[in-house]
Amino acid sequence: MSMEGNGNNLVVYMEGIVKRFGTITALDGVDFAVGKHQVMALLGDNGAGKSTLIKILTGVYTPTKGKIFFEGQPVQVNSPRDARALGIETCYQDLALVNLMSISRNFFLGRELTRKIGPVGWLDVRGMDDTTRTALADVGIEIRSSAERVGKLSGGERQSIAIGRALHFGAKLLILDEPTSALSVGETRKVLSYITNAKESGLSVIFITHNVHHVYQVADAYTIIRHGRKVGTYLKGELTEDDIADLITGEREV
């Protein structure tokens, strides 16, 4: 299944991506596309090249060869700041949340609201608390208190904060790195529902995982990478879970 020809409907298109580390070729001519308002699964075993591809998209690595297009325009993504400026938000497994800070402080981390009393600027804690609670509720995420410390939250709740933050601050592409790893069945269901809500709210989502069962429930399409090469991209319904698993491991060829 090829998506690259329909460029007007793509939020991101990576063309012919090659990444070498010395004599090691981590990625070998990979094309990768994500449609607007689409959940795209990026699947592969450990070492397949998933993380390398995403680090190129988010400016952590520079590709040895290849091009990146965002909303149809060629772009240079030289740093994570460049990626965020484009509207790309990434939620890694460690989520980059500060355990000792409140939910609202984490929600506004780097974008804090302030108010002035005379010449002195103060953090607008109440404003951040109220906005955080409302913004999360708007995407179906209920929290006990926006003043609660993040360190007391479960893994699924922490994921919800990261997803809600990306939505509120106008991200166009949300990248989730193994978002259901080490979560209980109940928490996994919640996170999958948050991903669906994010898509319905207008985001495109890249769901990076090796758990076929989880991603099969929410993804619109699947791109499979094996040994640094793209196996293929398939729309939902074209493959069974077993088909996807076999393509990931190489037990089935295209």
Side-chain angles (χ1 to χ4, degrees):
M1 171 67 195
S2 175
M3 297 174 54
E4 289 76 29
N6 197 9
N8 291 334
N9 290 324
L10 300 179
V11 65
V12 67
Y13 174 42
M14 304 175 75
E15 179 181 40
I17 300 297
V18 175
K19 181 60 181 177
R20 298 190 184 97
F21 297 96
T23 60
I24 304 297
T25 300
L27 294 170
D28 189 7
V30 173
D31 293 341
F32 179 60
V34 182
K36 294 178 180 178
H37 307 170
Q38 179 185 52
V39 178
M40 170 62 75
L42 181 58
L43 295 154
D45 261 340
N46 291 335
K50 305 187 303 295
S51 294
T52 302
L53 185 67
I54 292 306
K55 285 179 178 178
I56 288 172
L57 177 57
T58 56
V60 178
Y61 293 155
T62 300
T64 306
K65 289 177 61 177
K67 299 176 182 178
I68 301 174
F69 299 86
F70 196 82
E71 296 187 317
Q73 300 300 313
V75 294
Q76 296 286 332
V77 189
N78 297 316
S79 69
R81 180 173 292 180
D82 288 348
R84 175 171 277 189
L86 288 170
I88 301 172
E89 290 281 347
T90 307
C91 301
Y92 294 105
Q93 283 176 285
D94 61 11
L95 297 180
L97 299 180
V98 182
N99 287 337
L100 294 178
M101 286 186 177
S102 68
I103 293 173
S104 60
R105 285 296 305 277
N106 274 279
F107 193 88
F108 280 92
L109 197 62
R111 303 179 173 106
E112 288 81 2
L113 298 181
T114 59
R115 57 192 178 92
K116 282 193 172 184
I117 300 176
V120 181
W122 300 84
L123 283 177
D124 185 1
V125 175
R126 178 176 293 181
M128 290 191 290
D129 284 346
D130 291 344
T131 301
T132 298
R133 185 172 55 254
T134 301
L136 293 177
D138 285 345
V139 292
I141 299 168
E142 298 295 335
I143 57 174
R144 293 176 290 275
S145 168
S146 50
E148 185 174 5
R149 286 186 179 181
V150 159
K152 294 182 178 180
L153 301 181
S154 66
E157 289 171 327
R158 290 164 64 89
Q159 287 285 356
S160 75
I161 303 307
I163 293 170
R165 181 174 63 188
L167 279 163
H168 178 72
F169 287 106
K172 298 174 182 178
L173 176 64
L174 176 61
I175 302 170
L176 299 171
D177 182 17
E178 299 283 359
T180 57
S181 177
L183 297 187
S184 67
V185 173
E187 288 214 306
T188 294
R189 286 176 181 166
K190 287 182 180 179
V191 170
L192 295 180
S193 73
Y194 299 152
I195 292 170
T196 300
N197 290 345
K199 172 193 166 182
E200 291 174 351
S201 297
L203 260 73
S204 300
V205 181
I206 299 174
F207 188 154
I208 308 165
T209 188
H210 60 271
N211 191 311
V212 177
H213 177 65
H214 291 171
V215 79
Y216 197 77
Q217 300 174 53
V218 295
D220 300 303
Y222 317 89
T223 293
I224 301 168
I225 295 178
R226 188 169 69 241
H227 304 313
R229 294 185 178 181
K230 179 178 171 179
V231 175
T233 295
Y234 307 89
L235 293 178
K236 187 171 189 173
E238 290 186 330
L239 300 175
T240 66
E241 289 186 47
D242 288 340
D243 291 336
I244 296 171
D246 289 345
L247 286 170
I248 289 171
T249 61
E251 294 181 24
R252 171 180 168 177
E253 296 298 329
V254 180

